[in-house]
Amino acid sequence: VQLQASGGGLVQAGGSLRLSCAVSGHILSINVMGWYRQAPGKERELVANIFTVGTINYVDSVKGRFTISRDIAKNTLSLQMNSLKPEDTAVYYCHAQGSYGFRPYDQWGQGTQVTVSS
């Protein structure tokens, strides 16, 4: 599985951005996909994830503002981010976890920078 993230940028507080992650490879082997972020000097944290069976999780700080979605037909994972805050500034990574040939894997896309100005 290969992941290609896009959509980051600079936005003012209160604005919106939409991140996309193009997925290729053994897509049917994916069990869960998600978005993580890492701010300077901080550990990488899970922002939201979506399981193939439909379960969705969000970190508390983004609930009600961010929406994760997966378009199976278009092989994309998206993160709609509304009401952005300066504390959302980070490098965002898409992630996939699954197994292929009974071998589990964790795959990361390259990061995309999101900067929210106050």
Side-chain angles (χ1 to χ4, degrees):
V1 169
Q2 292 79 44
L3 307 173
Q4 181 74 34
S6 61
L10 173 64
V11 65
Q12 289 187 334
S16 299
L17 281 175
R18 185 177 182 86
L19 305 183
S20 294
C21 181
V23 186
S24 61
H26 298 286
I27 297 169
L28 296 180
S29 70
I30 296 173
N31 294 324
V32 56
M33 295 196 68
W35 289 97
Y36 287 71
R37 66 186 179 187
Q38 187 166 19
K42 295 187 177 181
E43 293 186 353
R44 189 173 297 188
E45 67 168 352
L46 173 67
V47 177
N49 63 8
I50 180 168
F51 287 77
T52 302
V53 296
T55 304
I56 294 175
N57 299 295
Y58 295 97
V59 67
D60 286 346
S61 59
V62 307
K63 286 180 179 178
R65 301 188 298 122
F66 290 12
T67 302
I68 189 171
S69 60
R70 183 179 172 190
D71 188 327
I72 302 296
K74 295 183 179 180
N75 297 334
T76 58
L77 176 74
S78 299
L79 184 69
Q80 178 66 41
M81 305 185 294
N82 299 327
S83 302
L84 282 161
K85 303 176 181 180
E87 51 263 44
D88 294 318
T89 295
V91 178
Y92 285 69
Y93 300 88
C94 60
H95 171 261
Q97 187 177 60
S99 62
Y100 184 74
F102 301 105
R103 293 181 178 181
Y105 63 82
D106 280 281
Q107 186 67 25
W108 295 90
Q110 90 289 2
T112 184
Q113 177 70 47
V114 171
T115 303
V116 184
S117 63
S118 57

